[in-house]
Amino acid sequence: MRDELLKLFKLVRDGKLSPEEAVEIAETVGIFSQPQEMTKEKSSRRMLYIQIRGPKGEKVDVKIPLSMAQLLKLSLPAFKEKIPGIDLESISKQLDQALERLEEFEGDMVNISSEDGTIVRVFVS
């Protein structure tokens, strides 16, 4: 199952699938049907939220179960298409740092306000 999931991640990264399409495929083929042991019961109920607000009223809202947080990095290129001028490199670096400590983390991971009015917020709740 690990290889199939990696293939899906690559398709999302390459822009050939949306994150939603990848999840639908994974559910269809049963990738998530095997029980996964969580180190903390609370973490299975926690969510990773992504909010992007563009200067012209563009909005992106994504809610990801914490257990699937790594998918966020693979979906970053899709955000660039929706809101041009977004600094994916900066967001990616901040996410790397936060994902290392994700199990204990709560609150804002990324909070960026650019000169053009774009706001990016990634947080755990």
Side-chain angles (χ1 to χ4, degrees), residues 45-61:
R45 290 179 255 138
R46 295 172 58 204
M47 302 295 279
L48 180 71
Y49 297 89
I50 305 157
Q51 294 179 338
I52 301 175
R53 301 295 182 255
K56 297 178 183 172
E58 307 93 335
K59 290 183 178 183
V60 176
D61 289 298

Side-chain angles (χ1 to χ4, degrees), residues 7 10 16 34 42 49 65 69 75 90 92 102 109:
K7 286 177 187 176
K10 288 177 185 175
K16 295 178 182 176
Q34 296 177 351
K42 181 183 175 187
Y49 297 89
S75 65
S90 173
S92 181
L102 197 55
M109 294 171 62

Side-chain angles (χ1 to χ4, degrees), residues 79-91:
F79 297 135
K80 186 170 188 155
E81 293 172 13
K82 293 183 186 283
I83 302 177
I86 190 170
D87 184 1
L88 293 180
E89 185 68 29
S90 173
I91 293 171

Side-chain angles (χ1 to χ4, degrees), residues 72-122:
L72 171 61
K73 283 197 62 175
L74 298 173
S75 65
L76 285 177
F79 297 135
K80 186 170 188 155
E81 293 172 13
K82 293 183 186 283
I83 302 177
I86 190 170
D87 184 1
L88 293 180
E89 185 68 29
S90 173
I91 293 171
S92 181
K93 285 179 184 178
Q94 291 180 42
L95 286 172
D96 281 338
Q97 293 170 356
L99 287 171
E100 290 176 11
R101 308 180 301 274
L102 197 55
E103 288 300 321
E104 297 85 31
F105 194 85
E106 177 118 12
D108 284 1
M109 294 171 62
V110 177
N111 200 335
I112 300 172
S113 296
S114 68
E115 288 182 16
D116 72 352
T118 300
I119 297 171
V120 177
R121 183 174 180 227
V122 179

